């Protein structure tokens, strides 16, 4: 079966960095559009960043643009989210998803279980 497993979350101070990873298995990774989304306590899940089938095509939410960087390594079946200059409002569970249709809210075929990022001030 298909599995997406996020890792790299933790408790950090504002202004520091984290790198999240999402390891995929059971699918032809290079054929999927990959997305990171997040859900903060008491809020709706929101789009964070996405990378297309080629690593050169990316998209970011305005709230993270200039601070976060998404990338993928198809040889390793892994997508990354480099999170810099973290802010308390970045605190959320971060989810990785794989799909076949690009877009902020396009349907995704597979989801990971998430990794928690907590940013203290």
């Amino acid at each position: 079966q298909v599995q997406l497993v996020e890792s790299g979350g933790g408790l950090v101070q504002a202004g520091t960095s984290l790198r999240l990873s999402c390891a995929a298995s059971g699918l032809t990774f290079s054929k999927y559009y990959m997305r990171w989304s997040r859900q903060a306590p008491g809020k709706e899940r929101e789009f964070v960043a996405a990378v297309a089938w080629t690593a050169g095509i990316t998209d970011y939410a305005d709230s993270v643009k200039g601070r976060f960087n998404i990338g993928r390594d198809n040889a390793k079946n892994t997508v990354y989210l480099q999170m810099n200059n973290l802010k308390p409002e970045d605190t959320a569970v971060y989810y990785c998803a794989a799909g076949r249709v690009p877009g902020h809210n396009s349907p995704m075929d597979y989801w990971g279980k998430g990794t928690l990022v907590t940013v203290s001030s």
Side-chain angles (χ1 to χ4, degrees):
Q1 68 273 24
V2 174
Q3 290 188 337
L4 302 178
V5 181
E6 302 95 336
S7 62
L11 173 63
V12 298
Q13 296 285 331
T16 63
S17 299
L18 280 176
R19 192 188 196 203
L20 305 183
S21 297
C22 173
S25 61
L27 78 170
T28 304
F29 182 75
S30 63
K31 294 184 178 181
Y32 286 84
Y33 161 86
M34 301 299 296
R35 177 195 297 165
W36 287 97
S37 61
R38 67 187 182 186
Q39 188 166 20
K43 296 185 178 181
E44 299 290 328
R45 187 174 298 188
E46 64 177 348
F47 169 82
V48 175
V51 59
W53 302 268
T54 174
I57 302 175
T58 58
D59 193 17
Y60 298 92
D62 288 342
S63 60
V64 306
K65 193 171 297 182
R67 298 190 297 120
F68 291 9
N69 185 38
I70 189 171
R72 67 189 296 161
D73 187 339
N74 288 348
K76 296 181 178 180
N77 285 2
T78 302
V79 62
Y80 305 96
L81 185 67
Q82 179 65 46
M83 309 165 67
N84 301 312
N85 191 24
L86 284 161
K87 303 176 180 180
E89 54 262 41
D90 294 319
T91 295
V93 176
Y94 284 72
Y95 297 92
C96 173
R100 293 164 292 173
V101 180
H104 290 188
N105 300 300
S106 59
M108 305 300 281
D109 296 322
Y110 307 105
W111 289 83
K113 294 182 178 180
T115 185
L116 177 63
V117 174
T118 303
V119 184
S120 64
S121 60

